[in-house]
């Protein structure tokens, strides 16, 4: 759920490595978020964020059936918006369609190893993100900064190699 707008879909793929104990894990993630946000006073503007992020996770009990974990991430974003909706509402070229920014995330989750499946686990996690989008203001030749962070929840499968 973005801080200023309506929730949409989020999907991601991670590649993580770990130390010998399996407690500390680090790696990278590519994330896609589709959502609606408010821009220049115009509501429900279709937006997409493409995030490339470095991640670190700490798993408290990696050998247990279920282990809670915490994590941090830092990345860069490319943000794409339906600038035609903004331009049509305001009557002039008010916004460039592509912006970029930085993204930081804190996550809290639980991972459960599947008995008999040595390389497969399920997970559920919640995230709180701080992110911004810097985009050109079209014909005004300025730069507009928007908060595009938010909170999200996800669940899925992890494959360990």
């Amino acid at each position: 759920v973005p801080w200023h707008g309506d929730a949409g879909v989020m999907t991601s793929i991670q590649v993580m490595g770990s130390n010998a104990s399996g407690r500390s894990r680090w790696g990278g993630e590519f994330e896609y978020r589709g959502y609606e946000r408010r821009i220049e006073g115009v509501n429900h503007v279709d937006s997409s964020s493409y995030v490339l992020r470095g991640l670190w996770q700490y798993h408290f009990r990696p050998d247990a059936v279920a282990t809670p974990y915490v994590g941090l991430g830092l990345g860069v974003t490319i943000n794409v918006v339906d600038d035609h909706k903004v331009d049509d509402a305001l009557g002039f070229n008010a916004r460039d369609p592509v912006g970029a920014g930085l993204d930081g995330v804190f996550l809290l989750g639980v991972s459960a190893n599947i008995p008999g499946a040595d390389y497969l686990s399920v997970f559920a996690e919640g995230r709180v993100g701080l992110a911004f989008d810097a985009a050109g203001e079209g014909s005004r030749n300025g730069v507009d900064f928007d908060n595009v962070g938010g909170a999200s929840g996800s669940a899925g499968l992890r494959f360990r190699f």
Side-chain angles (χ1 to χ4, degrees), residues 96-136:
D96 290 343
V98 178
L102 294 176
D103 172 273
V105 67
F106 170 77
L107 55 101
L108 180 63
V110 63
S111 180
N113 296 318
I114 298 174
D118 293 337
Y119 300 102
L120 186 63
S121 63
V122 294
F123 74 93
E125 69 182 33
R127 295 176 172 212
V128 175
L130 303 172
F132 75 89
D133 175 33

Side-chain angles (χ1 to χ4, degrees), residues 9-13 29-34 49:
V9 66
M10 178 196 77
T11 187
S12 66
I13 187 166
E29 172 179 72
F30 174 76
E31 177 183 282
Y32 166 79
R33 292 189 310 251
S49 291

Side-chain angles (χ1 to χ4, degrees), residues 112-161:
N113 296 318
I114 298 174
D118 293 337
Y119 300 102
L120 186 63
S121 63
V122 294
F123 74 93
E125 69 182 33
R127 295 176 172 212
V128 175
L130 303 172
F132 75 89
D133 175 33
E137 292 183 311
S139 60
R140 291 181 288 191
N141 294 325
V143 176
D144 182 38
F145 292 93
D146 286 324
N147 179 352
V148 294
S152 65
S154 62
L157 292 173
R158 284 207 172 104
F159 300 91
R160 294 184 303 271
F161 299 99

Side-chain angles (χ1 to χ4, degrees), residues 39-142:
I39 298 175
E40 299 278 339
V42 179
N43 292 318
H44 307 295
V45 177
D46 291 331
S47 303
S48 298
S49 291
Y50 303 89
V51 184
L52 187 59
R53 179 184 298 126
L55 282 176
W56 170 80
Q57 297 176 350
Y58 182 83
H59 291 246
F60 292 96
R61 300 173 29 199
D63 295 328
V65 172
T67 179
Y69 62 91
V70 295
L72 298 170
L74 185 61
V76 294
T77 64
I78 300 295
N79 303 294
V80 181
V81 300
D82 178 6
D83 65 320
H84 298 297
K85 184 171 186 174
V86 177
D87 294 345
D88 291 346
L90 298 178
F92 63 95
N93 181 15
R95 173 95 159 114
D96 290 343
V98 178
L102 294 176
D103 172 273
V105 67
F106 170 77
L107 55 101
L108 180 63
V110 63
S111 180
N113 296 318
I114 298 174
D118 293 337
Y119 300 102
L120 186 63
S121 63
V122 294
F123 74 93
E125 69 182 33
R127 295 176 172 212
V128 175
L130 303 172
F132 75 89
D133 175 33
E137 292 183 311
S139 60
R140 291 181 288 191
N141 294 325

